[in-house]
Amino acid sequence: MTKTNRLPQLITCGALALMTSACIARGPDDYRQVTRSLVDTKQAEIESCFGEQPASVVVTFTVEKKTGKISNPTIDSAKSDAPDEVGECVVAKIDGLALAQPDMRDGAATFTWKLSN
Amino acid sequence: MRAKHTRAVTAALLGLGLLVTGCGPIAFQDTVNFKLPEPEPEPEPEVSHAKVEGDHIVIDEKIQFEFDSAQIQRRSHSILNDVIKVMEANPQIEELDIIGHTSSEGSKKHNQELSRDRAQAVKQYLLDHGLTEDRLTSQGKGPSEPIADNDTEEGREANRRVEFKITKMGEAPADAAAAPAEGDAEAKGGARGRPGA
């Protein structure tokens, strides 16, 4: 009797099982939209961070895969032209926000808030 | 047997690949735009209808009356209000004579009375809006002092007028900047000018 190596099939099935488990797997645009909706809940507060001069703040952050939480928000100083306190204010408003339905993957987000004439 | 083994390994690698790519971070970006409110437009500077020129207060529009009446039309109130402002800004004007004139149309007697009544109505308006009796006089001169040709309607229209003549002028106040002898209301006061007397 010939022994059959079932290991590759087991690995494949395991992978497929994991992929079809409870987590949502969004595409980039869907992930962007839900994250946008999340940060927009603080839109008025974020807008109040800005003064009366045109300025922009670019923030990179992670949307954590298991919790949906925004973490590690960091101002991209090279791309931002707002005063430091404006950037810090924006970061403070979004830090800790969480998606109601986390994704199975981390989101690597870059968001720009821009005040213009 | 070897082919079967290859297929199994390939399937396993594919499964692992799917697992790995399915778990990697997904990058995205977005921009949120805010707009600065439009700035408030600068208010139009108020232009006065009256100013001192020599021994007159000159107005840029005629005082309008109802036909054959001494009733001042409402649209002329702003002109009279500006005359008041000029008087208030120039306390050295001790006496202002309000003179009514008419064209030569109609009887001399009627025109004389009409011009007198109109001058009196203007004087009364100025008194009702803050000026004092001691600074104002009025008279009617009928058609006796035309400034244009009464043979044309344009000329007759020009002759129907109210004249503001400064008949007594005192010394200008010590603070000359506060109350200049000439100039319109813009120079006298308000948000853009020097304070008045």
Side-chain angles (χ1 to χ4, degrees):
Chain A
M1 200 163 122
T2 313
K3 271 195 185 170
T4 309
N5 186 359
R6 299 255 184 232
L7 187 58
Q9 287 95 323
L10 282 171
I11 293 170
T12 307
C13 287
L16 283 169
L18 273 172
M19 284 179 62
T20 55
S21 64
C23 293
I24 296 171
R26 298 180 175 98
D29 199 53
D30 284 344
Y31 215 156
R32 178 194 64 77
Q33 282 185 20
V34 295
T35 306
R36 172 65 182 263
S37 297
L38 175 63
V39 299
D40 276 354
T41 60
K42 295 287 184 178
Q43 185 176 13
E45 291 181 47
I46 292 170
E47 191 171 3
S48 71
C49 292
F50 288 82
E52 292 176 4
Q53 295 299 320
S56 63
V57 175
V58 180
V59 180
T60 58
F61 56 89
T62 300
V63 184
E64 290 177 354
K65 61 185 171 189
K66 284 184 182 170
T67 61
K69 197 175 150 191
I70 287 178
S71 66
N72 198 30
T74 308
I75 301 166
D76 186 335
S77 304
K79 293 179 183 173
S80 304
D81 62 9
D84 290 346
E85 57 267 24
V86 174
E88 285 158 14
C89 179
V90 174
V91 162
K93 300 298 179 193
I94 65 169
D95 196 9
L97 292 176
L99 294 174
Q101 285 184 312
D103 199 271
M104 68 179 292
R105 290 156 296 180
D106 282 342
T110 302
F111 268 55
T112 302
W113 284 269
K114 188 174 181 181
L115 178 68
S116 55
N117 286 319
Chain B
M1 179 111 166
R2 204 179 175 81
K4 231 189 195 175
H5 179 74
T6 306
R7 277 200 295 272
V9 168
T10 306
L13 285 171
L14 189 66
L16 271 171
L18 282 169
L19 185 65
V20 166
T21 54
C23 292
I26 186 157
F28 53 89
Q29 57 188 2
D30 206 345
T31 300
V32 181
N33 287 299
F34 301 123
K35 207 118 165 71
L36 275 167
E38 293 283 343
E40 289 277 340
E42 286 278 327
E44 290 286 327
E46 274 190 40
V47 177
S48 176
H49 291 291
K51 59 181 177 180
V52 175
E53 271 186 13
D55 63 351
H56 277 76
I57 292 178
V58 173
I59 55 177
D60 64 0
E61 284 180 38
K62 287 179 66 170
I63 308 295
Q64 299 286 349
F65 297 88
E66 298 299 337
F67 177 71
D68 202 32
S69 160
Q71 174 89 27
I72 303 169
Q73 291 186 4
R74 185 170 288 277
R75 58 179 157 144
S76 293
H77 287 183
S78 60
I79 303 167
L80 293 176
N81 292 340
D82 285 344
V83 171
I84 293 166
K85 285 177 189 168
V86 169
M87 288 291 285
E88 286 171 343
N90 291 276
Q92 69 275 21
I93 300 175
E94 293 181 6
E95 199 171 273
L96 183 73
D97 193 16
I98 301 155
I99 308 169
H101 299 273
T102 65
S103 68
S104 59
E105 249 182 335
S107 75
K108 222 179 204 176
K109 181 171 181 279
H110 176 72
N111 284 333
Q112 179 60 38
E113 286 170 359
L114 183 62
S115 64
R116 179 199 66 207
D117 292 345
R118 284 180 170 178
Q120 176 58 34
V122 168
K123 178 185 170 188
Q124 192 58 51
Y125 183 95
L126 301 182
L127 288 173
D128 291 345
H129 290 81
L131 297 186
T132 53
E133 181 89 49
D134 60 317
R135 294 178 79 193
L136 300 175
T137 58
S138 70
Q139 60 172 309
K141 291 195 172 178
S144 66
E145 291 185 7
I147 58 170
D149 185 358
N150 273 305
D151 288 336
T152 67
E153 181 48 41
E154 279 165 4
R156 288 190 290 273
E157 179 61 30
N159 288 329
R160 297 178 202 119
R161 69 197 188 279
V162 173
E163 180 186 355
F164 297 92
K165 188 169 181 179
I166 300 168
T167 49
K168 204 169 174 189
M169 180 84 91
E171 289 285 325
D175 182 1
E182 265 198 49
D184 58 19
E186 276 188 10
K188 293 295 178 289
R192 298 175 195 281
R194 292 170 295 184

